[in-house]
Amino acid sequence: METLINKLKKAAPRATLLMALAAGSTLQSCGDPDTKGNAKDDAVASNAAEAVYVAPGEHDELYSFLSGGFNGQVSVYGLPSGRLLKIIPVFTQFAENGYGYNEESKAMLQTSHGFVPWDDLHHPKLSRTDGMADGRWLFVNGNNTPRVARVDLKTFETVEIMEIPNSAGNHCSPYPTNNNEYVLAGTRFSVPLDMKGGTQDVSLSDYKDKFRGSISFIKVDPEHGDMELDFQILVPGFDYDLANGGKGPSNDWVFFTTYNTEKSATLKELGASQNDRDYLAAINWKLAAKYAAEGKAKEMPANYYHNKMDHGSHTAKSTVKKTVRYLLPEDCPGMMYLLPAPKSPHGIDVDPTGEYMVVNGKLASSLPVFSFSKMQKAIEDKDFDGEVNGIPVLKYESVLKGEVKEPGLGPLHTEFDGKGNAYSTMFVSSEVVKWSLEDLQVKDRMPVYYSPGHLMIPGGDTREPYGKYMVVMNKITKDRFLPTGPELMHSAQLIDISGEKMKMILDFPTVAEPHYAQAIKADLVAPNSVKFFKLDENTHPEAVKNEKDVSMTRNGRTVKVNMTSIRSHFTPDNIEGVQVGDTVLFHVTNLEQDWDVPHGFAVMGANNAETLIMPGATQTLRWVPKQAGIFPFYCTDFCSALHQEMQGYVRVSPRGSNVPITFSTGEKKPVPPASASVN
Amino acid sequence: MKAYNKILMIVAALSLGLLFLFPMWKIYLEAPQYPEGLELHIWVNKLAGSSESVLQNFNILNHYIGMEPIHAESFKELKVMPYVIAFFMVTGVIIALIGKRRLVLYWTSLLMVAGAVGIADFYMWLHKFGTNLNPEAPIKVPGMTYIPPLLGNKQLLNFDALSLPGLGSLGVFLAVLLAGLVYYFSRRSAASSAYTRHLNSVLV
Ligand SMILES: [Cu+2]
């Protein structure tokens, strides 16, 4: 307690400074009433409605992918309308379609800790070709139980999830290099690695000596996108916050912000806020890959899950990986450098030319901009200021292009419009600040509501940003929308940045907590969208492609029902011979071959969820009846005029009953209204 | 027949080959729920459509009104027609090589008769499918039949049905037209060749 009070005392002057800065910021903006006011509508452009209006039936210009934070999902919004287009479950069970509940997708959520049906999803990143988003895949991170997932943008479904060993708090993740050579994932928390893929049982007072971080290099198959953990770099025991890749001249480099270079294990809000400067870690990924390929990498035992969804059977399989290769920076000269960065930096953002690295020091009063060419020169001249674990620390002055003075309070993230301007969010002063990369002067400021985290300009992290819109994701929404009790949706604000002054044009609620987002022109994604799965290509082992082939079999206490659904009936729809305590597996194949005609399947009393079966696919619902009787099942997705009639019954008899297995649809032998083999 | 007539006759015979390259008839369905439309393509030897599974989707919709499912196997015509077309193509070429004007007339007339029979047959199966409805159908509209139009459009409940000949039919049209022209153009040359023959006989 004594030390805590001492620490608080030490921190007091800093708090005063923050308040002074806040006052300063207010004074400074009072002189410019056009750009900042208290009235919430001051900043809204008069033609805002027109600017975001997308007529009914018309399509949006852009897809945007917002992370869902603690809901473990990605939500897809159209821009500029702000329409919610889809929710993609990634690290979470999703009762709406059975993801993580049905037998086919459960394996996606398996980890070395068992079934983990939740995670904290922070950063969506679009796959890239030649430094530009190509609309093929979306990579996202699971922060809590370190994982990286891949969403296929043909189906908008999660197709791969890989656990990351030797990592904790997978926050600076996942950052693709400019041709997806690697997706990079850095640990937020350093942990005492046991060098077997796990952590040691050590005292927390041993933080300084025993804790280490890791940065993972995930290789991506250029054709299919499949991921593979190639190697890791074991880095000093700081906290690694955010990452971003270079481009153009800095193409071979990736940058990570760090905090807690103090290596404090407790009360980090103080402990990790002592040093005036932490570091920006710069890693030459190409050189790292070369070192790893040349045999500099060592191998250690590991234990992590790699889950993949098969295209044909729509079934996920888990593989457990038992080793991981790693590099130590001290063995690999030239691979890694540290750049001093003020103070507890959060976002690191590289401008479209690849020359400037903007470091958002969330507790700093200025915004430093580093120069890549100066960094190269400093490395050449060995302009070092000591080293950490064998990693050279470059001199601050030698790498600095300059600082943006008094940008606002609490800079978190920066994006670029491709016209020489940068836009930074100010968490504490609740505003976005536009400044020039050329002279580092502030050009415009706009209040946002309230406490913005990330901001996003479509393509803002690529070579050529689409500098028409900016989305700012805000943490606090009170009074923006109709009240909904203590919890309010977070807000996203769409800002027109095509002119000199920023104009707010739309404000829309978002699902859970959006952190980062990415957006892409609709033309790059929409034409490839799958409309239905071809039944002929369904390789699910329990698929039934014709109603004539449905079956029901008992094997011990497991009963398998291989059935079909089509508008507007199930085959079979009368099932008998099930007994209390049996495990019933309903393998339902949706025979439809038409766009937007999924059928759902739900059974009374099932202890999981429904499953929603896409046209041409097969999904399995597991059900263990606990009492005898008649149990209805039905289609949950309103599929046709006779949807309400799309139902059936299972008769459950007591254990040991002699009711034989029978199943049927209709009085006579079912003749399908249409069989899929017809052509 | 002169050489150019023979060539024209060969072209007439071969233009029937369009039937193997394009559908001969198309039925378009459009409904509020199908903004992209559904197209049934009737070929000389198969049923297909704008998408691979169009027949299945036609049948799913039709089963609500109790219409019998449409299968390629339901039509013996699809088995026979390719041979009929092949017959006309082969005989057309042979007639061109023989160069007998009268045969051209027979061939053309027979083809026209075959075409008429084809259209009549098509109408009959539209009629059969549109009226032969399952009495237990879920949707029954008193007095309603579902015969799609033979040509032109018609509203069938929520569907707007439009029926038009496809490019394949153009083959039949071209064959009749070209063979007709051959018949017409070869009149003079036939007369002159008869005269030549007469002269020859006199001289010999
Ligand atoms: Cu249904």
Side-chain angles (χ1 to χ4, degrees), chain A residues 607-622:
Chain A
N607 295 109
N608 38 28
E610 67 151 353
T611 186
L612 193 67
I613 312 131
M614 295 305 125
T618 305
Q619 304 263 267
T620 305
L621 189 81
R622 174 193 287 265

Side-chain angles (χ1 to χ4, degrees), chain B residues 178-190:
Chain B
L178 296 178
L181 286 177
V182 170
Y183 183 68
Y184 176 79
F185 285 141
S186 57
R187 205 169 40 175
R188 238 185 54 203
S189 66

